[in-house]
Amino acid sequence: IDVQTEDELGRLADTLNGMIARLEEAFKKQQRFVADASHELRTPLAIIQAEASLALEKKRPQADYGRSLELVSQEVAHMSDVVSKLLLLTRSDAGIEPLDFDYVNVADLLAELSQDVEALAQEKGLVFRLGPMDTMKVRGDRTKLRQLFLNILDNAIRYTPNGGSVTGSLERNEGRVVVSIRDTGIGIPDEHLPFIFDRFYRVDKARTHTEGGTGLGLAIASSIAKMHGGEIEVESTAGAGTTVRVTLPLADTQSRPWTAPTPIGIIEGPKE
C-alpha cells in the first residue's frame, strides 16, 4: 500500500504493509518446508521401490534378497525418524506436545549425557570434556532437555574433524542457566547463520541423508528450548569452530513455561 502521508492513514498503511510482508515470508517458508520434506521422503521411497522391483524381477540367490531387505529396512528407519521428528515439531507448534515438568539438575543431566557422547567422540578421534559445573536446577521435561543437548552435541561431533575437540560448560547468569557447547569444527559461514534453525536447512546442500542427519535436529532443539522459556544462540566462524549457548531460566526464578497458543478448533476441558 503506497501512502506518502505521516498521519493515521500513513501509520495504518505501514502496519498493513508489515503484516503483508510477514505473511508473504511465512508462505515462502511453508513452501520451502513442503518441498524439502517431499525431497527428504522421496529419496528413500525411490530406493525402496527400486530394490523391490529388482528383487521381484527374477529369481536371485538368498544372499541378494537379504541385502535388498536390509537396505529397505534402513530406508524405512530413516523415513520413520523423519516422520517422528516432524510430528514432534507439529505438536510443539500446536501447543499439544505432552510435557512432564519436574525439577532437573542440569549438571547431572550433562554428566549423564557425557558418557554416551564421549564414546562417539573417541570413535571419531576427538577430545570431549566438560568444564566445572555447579548444581543448578531448571523446571522442565528431562527427556526433552536430554534430546535438546544431545542434538547439539551430535552436531558438534559430526562437524568436527579428527583431532579436534568438543567442550561443554555450565554457568549461572542473572537468574538463568547457560550451557555452552564449543567445537573446533568446520564452522558455519555468516550467510547461513540466520537459517540454521529452519526445518530441513543444511549448510552443505550436497549432503544426503545417507551421510547422517535429517536437517531437523537444530529446529527441534530450538523448539524444546522455547517450550522451557529459553533460547539458543549460535556464534560461528567458517573454519574456526562453533559455539552454541542454551539459556534456560533457573527453577527458583522461572516464570510459567512458554507454551504455544491453543489452536483453533481445540478446546480444553475443565480442569480438576
Side-chain angles (χ1 to χ4, degrees), residues 38-51 75-76 78-79 209:
S38 300
H39 176 76
E40 191 73 27
L41 295 174
R42 183 176 58 207
T43 301
L45 282 172
I47 294 172
I48 291 171
Q49 184 178 29
E51 282 297 320
E75 297 303 323
V76 170
H78 173 73
M79 286 195 298
H209 79 270

Side-chain angles (χ1 to χ4, degrees), residues 42-75:
R42 183 176 58 207
T43 301
L45 282 172
I47 294 172
I48 291 171
Q49 184 178 29
E51 282 297 320
S53 298
L54 189 65
L56 293 171
E57 190 176 276
K58 63 179 181 180
K59 275 198 168 184
R60 300 180 182 279
Q62 190 72 23
D64 288 353
Y65 289 123
R67 283 192 291 270
S68 291
L69 288 173
E70 183 179 357
L71 183 56
V72 167
S73 178
Q74 290 174 356
E75 297 303 323

Side-chain angles (χ1 to χ4, degrees), residues 122-181:
Q122 288 179 354
E123 184 179 346
K124 198 175 175 183
L126 306 177
V127 174
F128 174 72
R129 60 180 180 273
L130 291 176
M133 297 186 294
D134 295 330
T135 298
M136 284 182 272
K137 292 184 178 181
V138 300
R139 192 169 175 276
D141 185 308
R142 185 181 180 86
T143 301
K144 293 289 191 297
L145 289 174
R146 177 185 171 87
Q147 185 177 13
L148 185 163
F149 293 121
L150 188 58
N151 283 353
I152 294 172
L153 287 165
D154 179 67
N155 262 14
I157 291 172
R158 189 187 303 274
Y159 297 111
T160 300
N162 182 288
S165 65
V166 177
T167 60
S169 64
L170 171 65
E171 59 186 358
R172 184 192 305 260
N173 183 17
E174 297 181 352
R176 299 175 77 81
V177 173
V178 181
V179 178
S180 299
I181 307 296

Side-chain angles (χ1 to χ4, degrees), residues 18 27 30 44 99 201 251:
F27 287 139
Q30 186 181 45
L99 297 170
Y201 189 84

Side-chain angles (χ1 to χ4, degrees), residues 12-246:
L12 176 60
D14 287 340
T15 301
L16 290 173
N17 286 337
M19 179 188 70
I20 292 169
R22 289 192 297 273
L23 284 172
E24 183 178 8
E25 180 61 26
F27 287 139
K28 287 180 180 178
K29 282 188 176 182
Q30 186 181 45
Q31 288 174 339
R32 287 196 301 268
F33 168 71
V34 171
D36 291 340
S38 300
H39 176 76
E40 191 73 27
L41 295 174
R42 183 176 58 207
T43 301
L45 282 172
I47 294 172
I48 291 171
Q49 184 178 29
E51 282 297 320
S53 298
L54 189 65
L56 293 171
E57 190 176 276
K58 63 179 181 180
K59 275 198 168 184
R60 300 180 182 279
Q62 190 72 23
D64 288 353
Y65 289 123
R67 283 192 291 270
S68 291
L69 288 173
E70 183 179 357
L71 183 56
V72 167
S73 178
Q74 290 174 356
E75 297 303 323
V76 170
H78 173 73
M79 286 195 298
S80 296
D81 184 37
V82 171
V83 171
S84 175
K85 289 176 178 177
L86 286 175
L87 286 173
L88 187 154
L89 288 167
T90 301
R91 291 193 300 264
S92 173
D93 289 345
I96 57 175
E97 173 67 8
L99 297 170
D100 182 16
F101 275 86
D102 199 353
Y103 291 100
V104 179
N105 186 321
V106 181
D108 287 350
L109 179 60
L110 292 174
E112 175 188 310
L113 267 176
S114 68
Q115 299 177 15
D116 298 329
V117 173
E118 190 168 4
L120 294 174
Q122 288 179 354
E123 184 179 346
K124 198 175 175 183
L126 306 177
V127 174
F128 174 72
R129 60 180 180 273
L130 291 176
M133 297 186 294
D134 295 330
T135 298
M136 284 182 272
K137 292 184 178 181
V138 300
R139 192 169 175 276
D141 185 308
R142 185 181 180 86
T143 301
K144 293 289 191 297
L145 289 174
R146 177 185 171 87
Q147 185 177 13
L148 185 163
F149 293 121
L150 188 58
N151 283 353
I152 294 172
L153 287 165
D154 179 67
N155 262 14
I157 291 172
R158 189 187 303 274
Y159 297 111
T160 300
N162 182 288
S165 65
V166 177
T167 60
S169 64
L170 171 65
E171 59 186 358
R172 184 192 305 260
N173 183 17
E174 297 181 352
R176 299 175 77 81
V177 173
V178 181
V179 178
S180 299
I181 307 296
R182 300 177 180 86
D183 65 60
T184 59
I186 60 176
I188 305 169
D190 290 343
E191 64 268 23
H192 293 286
L193 282 174
F195 309 105
I196 59 174
F197 294 107
D198 289 355
R199 297 164 193 188
F200 291 115
Y201 189 84
R202 290 190 175 103
V203 174
D204 182 4
K205 304 298 183 183
R207 190 167 65 86
T208 65
H209 79 270
T210 56
E211 296 172 281
T214 60
L216 294 171
L218 286 179
I220 289 174
S222 177
S223 179
I224 293 173
K226 289 179 180 177
M227 291 179 197
H228 293 78
E231 60 183 2
I232 301 179
E233 296 178 348
V234 178
E235 293 179 4
S236 186
T237 302
T242 301
T243 298
V244 180
R245 293 187 184 87
V246 180

